[in-house]
Each structure stands twice: as C-alpha cells, then as structure tokens.
Amino acid sequence: MRVTAAAAGTGPLVLRKKGDVLEILAGNVVLLSSAALETELAFGRLAAGKPRVLVGGLGFGATVRGVLEGVPAGADVVVVVAEKVAGVVDLVRGDLAATAGRPLEDPRVSVVAEDVFDVMARSPAGWDSILLDVDNGPHWASFRTNARLYSPAGLAVAHRALAPGGFLAVWSGYPADAFLARLRAAGFTAKCIPLHERGRVRARAYVGTRL
C-alpha cells in the first residue's frame, strides 16, 4: 500500500494491490477497483459510431479505451473525460497508464478537471453519448454530490445535453432495475444491457436514449 496522489476534499489517495486487483482508496473508501475492467471496456464500446462522447469518471481508463476500440477505421471521434479527482488523472497518466493501454495518450481524448454534471449543464445537445461510470451504480454515490446525477433534475440535465438519438448510459455493479422507470420518467426510452467479466455478468449498463 502506498500514497500516490491527493484527492481534493478527500485526503490522500492510496494505491493498493490485492493479488491481481488494483484498488484506489480515498481514506477508507475504495473509489476504484480493477476487478471488472472487462465490463468497463464493454461499457465504453456501447458508444461505437457516436462522434461526440462524454465520459463521466476516468477510473483506470478502461471505459475510454472501450470507446476508442469501438471507433470504425477512419472515423472521427471526440472523447471528453470529466474527472474531478486530479489524483486519479495523475495515476492514469503515470503509474497506471498501461492498465488500459494508455488511453489518455490518444489525441482524440481530452480530460477536463470538472464534475460531469457541470459539463452536461453547459452543453445542450452537445453529445451523442454520455457514459457515466462515477459510482458503483445509481444508488451508491462515491461523493455526496454525485447523487444529483441520478435524480429527476440530473436526468433532465443529461437529456438536454444529448443530441436527438443520443443516449445516456450508467454503469452499475449491481442490479438497479428500478432506475429504468426513472429514466423513462425523464423522457428516455430505457433498457438494461448486461456486462460480462470472464464470461459472467458482473455489471450492467442502464441506457436511456433520447428520441
């Protein structure tokens, strides 16, 4: 276990290895784990064919890597990652760069040190897909302010930030099917897509499409 960076408002970040799994902790809270990177790659691939992609939460970079893998040869894509914990960005650019194939070195990817809510709020119809992987799911917030992302008001902000035909996807490490009704109430068509890790369903993507 070693301290590697600081998280604004949370104290130092700690990088810990448990067997083959890497964890990033803020205090006693596990913010990130590499145990389900395959599901995050699959989550990113959901944005295949979408030219303007906003990723909320950098994690280990696997979601961004999945977005890039889903880009057809010769196609243009702009990927913006909103990550409010500067220490996570430092790790993915440094010690953890190889974990997901150095996605931040791709010139199509840029990182903004902001809350993804604020990025959505100022970009009406600006995105073709928004991928939120900032928490373990819509009922478990790593930071108190993240809860607004899944509220009716937050989903309304996401709806306005999407171009017609665009979609919002929320990564969840547990079943949260009640969230589908909340997506529908916000004006989305909604579905759940299982995400696999080593052949087993280990996470889900809750997807709302703006008509």
Side-chain angles (χ1 to χ4, degrees):
M1 178 183 293
R2 61 191 181 92
V3 176
T4 59
T10 65
L13 291 184
V14 174
L15 179 62
R16 178 173 71 185
K17 187 170 184 180
K18 296 175 65 177
D20 294 329
V21 175
L22 292 168
E23 294 179 338
I24 298 175
L25 296 86
N28 294 321
V29 177
V30 178
L31 289 182
L32 301 168
S33 169
S34 66
L37 289 187
E38 287 183 25
T39 72
E40 293 173 8
L41 284 167
F43 185 65
R45 294 182 190 118
L46 296 176
K50 299 294 187 182
R52 298 171 298 169
V53 182
L54 174 62
V55 177
L58 175 59
F60 288 91
T63 295
V64 179
R65 173 53 58 198
V67 172
L68 296 173
E69 288 181 358
V71 177
D76 292 328
V77 63
V78 173
V79 184
V80 175
V81 184
E83 175 53 66
K84 61 186 177 183
V85 181
V88 170
V89 180
D90 292 340
L91 285 168
V92 176
R93 291 194 189 279
D95 290 355
L96 300 177
T99 304
R102 302 182 182 276
L104 299 188
E105 296 178 13
D106 192 296
R108 297 168 293 182
V109 177
S110 61
V111 179
V112 293
E114 293 185 67
D115 191 308
V116 67
F117 182 93
D118 297 327
V119 178
M120 293 191 300
R122 69 164 185 267
S123 50
W127 305 102
D128 298 298
S129 63
I130 299 172
L131 305 176
L132 297 184
D133 187 9
V134 297
D135 297 302
N136 283 349
H139 306 315
W140 194 97
S142 299
F143 296 92
R144 187 175 300 173
T145 55
N146 286 358
R148 62 182 174 169
L149 292 169
Y150 318 111
S151 70
L155 292 176
V157 168
H159 193 277
R160 288 192 297 270
L162 287 164
F167 72 85
L168 167 73
V170 175
W171 187 95
S172 182
Y174 53 83
D177 289 354
F179 187 62
L180 293 170
R182 190 172 295 181
L183 285 169
R184 295 185 183 109
F188 295 98
T189 62
K191 63 182 177 181
C192 175
I193 299 175
L195 303 173
H196 295 82
E197 183 82 21
R198 297 184 179 90
R200 298 176 56 191
V201 176
R202 288 288 304 277
R204 293 145 187 86
Y206 288 95
V207 179
T209 300
R210 176 180 176 178
L211 299 178

